[in-house]
Amino acid sequence: MAKTSSTPAPRKRRSDAEQNRLQILKAAKATFTRDGAAASLDAIARRAGVGPGTLYRHFPTRDALIEAVYRREVEALGSAAQEFSEAMEPVDALRVWMLLFLDYLGAKHLIVPALNSISGGPKRLYEGSRSVVQQAMRRLVLRAIDAGQIRSDVDADVLLRALLGFPYVPFGGEWRDGARQLVDILIAGSLR
Amino acid sequence: MAKTSSTPAPRKRRSDAEQNRLQILKAAKATFTRDGAAASLDAIARRAGVGPGTLYRHFPTRDALIEAVYRREVEALGSAAQEFSEAMEPVDALRVWMLLFLDYLGAKHLIVPALNSISGGPKRLYEGSRSVVQQAMRRLVLRAIDAGQIRSDVDADVLLRALLGFPYVPFGGEWRDGARQLVDILIAGSLR
Amino acid sequence: MAKTSSTPAPRKRRSDAEQNRLQILKAAKATFTRDGAAASLDAIARRAGVGPGTLYRHFPTRDALIEAVYRREVEALGSAAQEFSEAMEPVDALRVWMLLFLDYLGAKHLIVPALNSISGGPKRLYEGSRSVVQQAMRRLVLRAIDAGQIRSDVDADVLLRALLGFPYVPFGGEWRDGARQLVDILIAGSLR
Amino acid sequence: MAKTSSTPAPRKRRSDAEQNRLQILKAAKATFTRDGAAASLDAIARRAGVGPGTLYRHFPTRDALIEAVYRREVEALGSAAQEFSEAMEPVDALRVWMLLFLDYLGAKHLIVPALNSISGGPKRLYEGSRSVVQQAMRRLVLRAIDAGQIRSDVDADVLLRALLGFPYVPFGGEWRDGARQLVDILIAGSLR
DNA sequence: CATGAATGAGCCTTCATTCAT
DNA sequence: GATGAATGAAGGCTCATTCAT
């Protein structure tokens, strides 16, 4: 019963904390995507191959975990917006980024449902940290306005919202077509 | 095995079953709206002033309850679409109905999150019964197309999706303004 | 969704898992004996001094618990049969073991009712693993047959069944007398 | 509201109370047989085609219902014992009745499990009313003793118990063979 | 740091039981 | 007498959370 130093015991390597954190985030994304934002944290820990206690050390609350997952997803979108802006015409950058965003939403990257169950609504995330996504959208819109390509009263948040609901109505297979048409309509409706 | 109630409990007079059903639906709407579709059924029963067993008699599963709440909401939207169609120009009817729909979504009439947790996704409701909302939207769009007011390739479902996400991004107080702008953009982008 | 415990609750020091398992088994035996195989698992957990969750960790289903209780009881009977066989004349071993078995059944070691509510009847236990009890009985009978002491057509299962019903008819205080007579009759009726 | 003699109204025949009682008993037997003595009373009422309240009027407690079912079964066994006694040699009557009893137990007529969940064990039924079955067995045994066919110390209750356990160990198809052998052994073991 | 056993709150669900109709 | 809606007390079970190891 008492540990004897004679036999070192098949103890797992002091696994890197960062390594674990990453595993948890991956597991969380997959699980949240499948089961929704109310998924069992124990299940996530299990899938990540760590004990529930470890999950807790890294993310003391469910919201903290959701938020972390969210940020990771969103960071990528932010960088993309930056790149597009540097490489394309304003309206094109906007159009392409919107499509990319819909891809993120639809493909398998939840975001929305997760966002929604953060305590007190997603407000905290958006208001508090000025979400990267919102920022990205705002910059893209502003640039298009400055370039005189779209009306100056177009509200970036309005466009964002229009996109966010997209995954909520099921389509058949022509998902991409629907996405493209939505973006087309939004752009067309925003032109000056 | 034989249960013994310590205190016989003050029994409420037999209330009309239909009355109870309504109370439950109201309570469910309010609770789902606040807590999401995973809200406690016990809590709903409590708020409705009935025992949990009564809730179960009326709605044997969570989905049955969500669906019933949903249908009630949606029926009203359906009638509205009809009325607008009979009283206004096609595009105006479309515009006004979209605003009304956003009102429903935003004010406090959830629908969306609830829909989403119906078993097997919301597909069943939509595909099975050709949801009233979807029908309404389709008729309004079709009428506007027939009148030559919007492009003939505009997809009603695409517009619907654009609306559905609206409540997901928090605004400050200018909610109505955002709604109006979104509808404006969508209409503008759909004109022929 | 996030649970908030009003009072953090006094946490017991980490007891050995094996220790708990044993407590649960004991509590289960006692409770099943008194209340039948449909006894409340919560009650068993309570009596064992563990939370309901702990019971579930060890025995995920009611059947798993019943089975575990059963096996524990039965193992002892198996060993006894072995010992008796090595130490006595065949018929005597049979007689003594039958009495021991009745003791187990009657004293307070249920077995029978429990067996009966295992899903799909007790068949699984008996057929699947060739129950220890049945094995014991069969070996004892076989040995007596081989020694030419009882008729060769005596069916061990028939004797077993005769014993199993014993606890079902209430006696006064002369329980042991009844048991002895039953065994005597069975042996007498089996002699060649 | 007021009854008019002009139209007899499609009123269900003032269903005879006795009729209902019988339906309930039948339903109870079938249900107890399938689900055990803890079966849902509501389910029994449903199967009997009456409301739960009606079941309650007839049998105010679960035990009352079990007892009634039991008595009905047992009455038949009692008459049979009488008939056999009048028509056969004592030992033969005993043998045949025991076989009949096993048939009752095994075929589908529960009795035993039901007996067992009566509050305070089956004692009440047996002790209180001197169960018909016990009486029958006692008379048959006594008669065989008086005729000098079996030993005078044979205890009817002991034989009864031996029979009662029979349905508890599953056989293959040779159920009747096992029954016959058991009875043979018991008789053989009881002969003087 | 990590682990996973333990805990208990609270959910869903079933049912015995009552009682207005 | 019969009915079945309503009730509410458990019970089974899940999980977030803690903490000894």
Side-chain angles (χ1 to χ4, degrees), chain D residues 2-190:
Chain D
K3 297 277 178 55
T4 56
S5 52
S6 52
T7 324
R11 168 175 294 269
K12 214 173 65 184
R13 285 188 93 340
R14 181 183 179 308
S15 50
D16 199 9
E18 213 44 47
Q19 173 67 19
N20 271 343
R21 202 189 129 87
L22 193 60
Q23 291 307 318
I24 293 171
L25 281 175
K26 281 190 200 160
K29 187 173 92 176
T31 306
F32 282 145
T33 301
R34 170 164 39 271
D35 302 348
S40 157
L41 297 188
D42 276 31
I44 291 174
R46 229 174 294 128
R47 177 193 263 255
V50 305
T54 302
L55 188 155
Y56 262 77
R57 166 175 298 270
H58 288 287
F59 309 98
T61 69
R62 172 185 294 273
D63 284 2
L65 179 55
I66 290 178
E67 200 169 321
V69 169
Y70 168 77
R71 285 199 196 287
R72 238 170 65 93
E73 292 301 296
V74 134
E75 226 91 282
L77 286 171
S79 329
Q82 190 59 35
E83 293 168 23
F84 295 168
S85 279
E86 289 165 4
M88 310 179 193
E89 278 294 287
V91 193
D92 294 333
L94 180 59
R95 180 193 313 275
V96 174
W97 188 86
M98 284 169 102
L99 284 169
L100 178 67
F101 183 55
L102 286 179
D103 254 16
Y104 264 79
L105 290 182
K108 63 176 64 66
H109 311 258
L110 78 159
I111 296 186
V112 183
L115 270 183
N116 232 49
S117 48
I118 292 240
S119 68
K123 285 137 213 156
R124 227 198 61 246
L125 260 187
Y126 275 110
E127 292 171 0
S129 61
R130 279 301 135 206
S131 143
V132 180
V133 167
Q134 218 169 12
Q135 278 298 315
M137 183 59 119
R138 285 179 178 173
R139 283 209 203 91
L140 290 163
V141 166
L142 199 59
R143 193 158 155 266
I145 290 175
D146 287 347
Q149 297 183 315
I150 65 175
R151 290 199 311 282
S152 64
D153 66 332
V154 170
D155 186 334
D157 286 351
V158 166
L159 295 182
L160 190 54
R161 289 194 193 207
L163 299 179
L164 276 168
F166 207 69
Y168 277 103
V169 186
F171 267 68
E174 5 66 44
W175 196 88
R176 295 301 286 276
D177 293 340
R180 204 177 319 275
Q181 186 177 63
L182 175 57
V183 172
D184 284 345
I185 290 180
L186 290 173
I187 297 277
S190 301

Side-chain angles (χ1 to χ4, degrees), chain A residues 10 14 22 25 28 33 40 50 70 93 98 114 122 131 135 150 174 189 191:
Chain A
R14 182 183 179 309
L22 194 59
L25 281 175
T33 301
S40 157
V50 305
Y70 168 77
M98 284 168 103
S131 144
Q135 279 297 317
I150 63 175
E174 5 66 42
L191 294 180

Side-chain angles (χ1 to χ4, degrees), chain A residues 112 116 122-123 126 134 153-155 157-158 161-162 164-166 168-171 175 178 181-182 185-186 188-190, chain B residues 112 116 123 134 153-155 157-159 161-162 164-166 168-171 175 178 181-182 185-186 188-190:
Chain A
V112 182
N116 232 50
K123 285 140 214 156
Y126 276 110
Q134 218 168 13
D153 66 331
V154 170
D155 185 333
D157 287 351
V158 166
R161 290 195 192 204
L164 276 167
F166 207 69
Y168 277 104
V169 186
F171 267 68
W175 196 89
Q181 186 178 60
L182 174 59
I185 290 179
L186 290 173
S190 300
Chain B
V112 183
N116 235 50
K123 284 140 212 155
Q134 218 169 11
D153 66 331
V154 170
D155 187 334
D157 287 351
V158 167
L159 295 182
R161 289 194 191 207
L164 276 167
F166 205 69
Y168 278 104
V169 186
F171 267 69
W175 197 89
Q181 185 177 60
L182 174 57
I185 290 180
L186 290 174
S190 301

Side-chain angles (χ1 to χ4, degrees), chain B residues 125-156:
Chain B
L125 263 185
Y126 274 110
E127 291 172 0
S129 58
R130 279 299 135 207
S131 142
V132 181
V133 167
Q134 218 169 11
Q135 278 297 315
M137 184 58 120
R138 285 178 179 176
R139 284 211 202 90
L140 290 164
V141 166
L142 200 58
R143 193 157 154 267
I145 290 175
D146 287 348
Q149 298 184 315
I150 64 175
R151 288 199 312 283
S152 64
D153 66 331
V154 170
D155 187 334

